[in-house]
Amino acid sequence: MGTSVESKQEKLLRRLKELGIPSAAAIGAFSSLAKPESRKTAPPVPPLIQVDLSKPFAPSHKYALSLTLGRAGSVHLFSNSLIGVAIGAADRIYVLGDGQVFIFEPGGNLVRKWKAQEHASCLVVSPDKKVFIGASGRVEIYGDEGNRLGGFSIGDGSKPASVTSIKINRSEILVADAAARLIHRYDINGRRLGEIGTQGHSGFMLPNRTLDIAVDSRNVIWAADAGRHRVSSWNSDGQPIGRFGKFGTHNVEDFVGCCNPVNIAVAPDGKIVTGEKVAARVKVYSSEGKILAVIGSEHFDPNCLHLHLAVDSKGRVIVADPVRLQLKVFSPDINSGVRESL
Amino acid sequence: MSEKSSRRQFIDLSFRIAGIAGIGGAAALLTKRASGNAVFQVDPAKCAACDLCRTSCVLSHSAVKAVNNFSECGYCQLCPAYYDVASQPDEMGLPTGKTCPQEALKRRVVGKVDKDDPNNNYYEYTIDESLCDGCGKCVKACKPPAGNGSLHLQVRYSRCLECDACSIQRVCPQNAIVRVPTPGLSPAKKHA
């Protein structure tokens, strides 16, 4: 069906097979005589998807690399994994990697580190210095010294929750569950308050099985809806507010590939920061979706499936590269752009 | 005496020949039995989707085809294995180019359909094996980070001639063509 007529060679080989005659010699002879081109070396592997930015882009804001932690020169901080970053009090940087929580001063000095629970996948730090760590189906709560304070289970038990992001919204804990494709709302004691992403919505589309969220100073919840190539915003009651973004490889403001953006953070002044795979880049938008800046792929490994993000009080964008096991801090150029207010 | 010697030598030689023939026959039988218990298959963890499966199979239409592991597939609207995502978009914002030169990769909407917003739909991707020539372009486009890696090349035993020496294996630069017990555990499941 749909195949070409068998060649004489193929007929002979099939007949040999039917007769049970070892055909190694015959195959070798035919292969060498009939298909000399099969001895060619493998063609070169073409590169990953090339992002064609046909339209020129003049950023209104600029960011410069100001600090690198991790595999910089001979310093190896993270050995196996780098899977989350958050900002705490006094702009301390909390990093989840190698099964531990690392706490750095804003300048990069390591303050302390302590062991986290197994399968930890994300973290957030509350204003009172409690560290909330999400793992498979649970949230564990630790003090700043690593002392465990408590925890609670996620989901209604019908399906194991896949906790991929955790944030704090006033007194609520928001837990992104990629298995259920929604955001759970819990109080500090683990009492379920509701969910976000289901009202007027069929749930987030997550082909890459990960959902990242962020909360801004107005308590608006932002979600990286990767399968729809958009960023969506929600209020605390779960009502949808708006969205921006679309698929595209020719305009820098668009999101490339099958599913992007994969990561999201919010700056104190309301700027939205997104992380993309394939293009391996970080972009900064206004809250209305206007592209402001791009932190290009030259800084990150092209094989990254994630670029974990956080923004401190000074607008510095902290990016965790899980392939190169590096933490990079990008400071805004204060002479670029117009200071935007919400 | 000389007659007895020559008779003895003849009998001795006869037994030697019979012994060698017996050992050789047993070896051939064991080899055939062993090769009959294993087949060639593509190990997805090693496969680089380099196009040699298409050009090196003894069949004019390669026995190697792309297959989709639905449990890994994201059912994306914008599948990079289906669409050439770098091509110019149409008026709907979808790429105009296709990755598969043979258009063997088929796409259909599944589940609850939102006619107003295609972004809300899931799409199933299947391969028309009568058109697939095993070039692996879709497999390469599906590899992470672009895709989930659900597409991979596999030898289809309904077409494979089960050559004693696979001509693709001889040229595969990744040594991705391996022997597996028939017709059972494929390398794809081994790496699951």
Side-chain angles (χ1 to χ4, degrees), chain A residues 1-7 9-10 13-14 17 20-24 27-28 31-32 35 37-46 48-50 52 54 181 201-202 204-209 227-230 243 247 249-250 257-259 277-278 302-305, chain B residues 32 48 50-52 55-61 70-80 85-89 93-95 117-122 128 130-131 140-141 143-148 157-167 170-171 173-174:
Chain A
M1 177 171 143
T3 60
S4 57
V5 174
E6 260 192 343
S7 66
Q9 175 190 348
E10 289 167 6
L13 292 171
R14 198 176 293 283
K17 182 184 174 187
I21 295 171
S23 53
I27 297 301
S31 296
S32 61
K35 291 187 185 280
E37 62 271 18
S38 64
R39 293 177 183 274
K40 281 182 189 170
T41 55
V45 176
L48 293 173
I49 294 172
Q50 296 294 312
D52 171 27
S54 301
R181 302 188 296 117
H201 197 248
S202 55
F204 299 101
M205 298 197 76
L206 311 170
N208 53 341
R209 294 163 177 88
R228 295 188 175 97
H229 298 87
R230 62 173 71 139
R243 66 190 192 207
F247 165 78
T249 50
H250 300 278
C258 73
C259 27
K277 61 170 185 166
V278 182
N303 293 304
C304 283
L305 296 177
Chain B
K32 187 172 168 54
C50 63
D51 199 32
L52 283 176
T55 58
S56 301
C57 182
V58 295
L59 295 171
S60 56
H61 203 65
F70 293 110
S71 65
E72 293 291 326
C73 184
Y75 291 77
C76 304
Q77 183 205 13
L78 281 149
C79 172
V85 292
S87 61
Q88 288 292 336
L94 296 175
D117 189 357
N119 282 303
N120 293 331
N121 297 333
Y122 289 97
D128 183 343
S130 67
L131 299 175
K140 200 191 298 288
K143 283 185 183 288
N148 286 355
Y157 301 123
S158 58
R159 291 191 51 80
C160 179
L161 296 180
E162 297 178 31
C163 306
D164 290 339
C166 175
S167 59
R170 287 192 306 119
V171 299
Q174 308 296 329

Side-chain angles (χ1 to χ4, degrees), chain B residues 28-167:
Chain B
L29 186 66
L30 287 172
T31 302
K32 187 172 168 54
R33 194 173 287 174
S35 64
N37 287 337
V39 292
F40 291 103
Q41 191 47 274
V42 181
D43 186 343
K46 296 179 182 175
C47 175
C50 63
D51 199 32
L52 283 176
C53 283
R54 178 181 67 88
T55 58
S56 301
C57 182
V58 295
L59 295 171
S60 56
H61 203 65
S62 176
V64 174
K65 308 291 177 192
V67 296
N68 193 10
N69 182 351
F70 293 110
S71 65
E72 293 291 326
C73 184
Y75 291 77
C76 304
Q77 183 205 13
L78 281 149
C79 172
Y82 182 80
Y83 287 111
D84 176 4
V85 292
S87 61
Q88 288 292 336
D90 61 15
E91 62 279 359
M92 298 288 293
L94 296 175
T96 48
K98 299 282 183 352
T99 300
C100 179
Q102 312 300 327
E103 298 205 4
L105 195 58
K106 306 298 183 188
R107 175 183 190 260
R108 71 182 186 105
V109 65
V110 291
K112 191 176 172 186
V113 178
D114 184 339
K115 292 176 184 172
D116 296 323
D117 189 357
N119 282 303
N120 293 331
N121 297 333
Y122 289 97
Y123 296 84
E124 180 186 76
Y125 295 91
T126 54
I127 292 95
D128 183 343
E129 293 194 5
S130 67
L131 299 175
C132 178
D133 59 6
C135 72
K137 285 187 172 63
C138 59
V139 172
K140 200 191 298 288
C142 182
K143 283 185 183 288
N148 286 355
S150 63
L151 282 164
H152 52 273
L153 291 173
Q154 291 280 276
V155 176
R156 301 310 254 170
Y157 301 123
S158 58
R159 291 191 51 80
C160 179
L161 296 180
E162 297 178 31
C163 306
D164 290 339
C166 175
S167 59

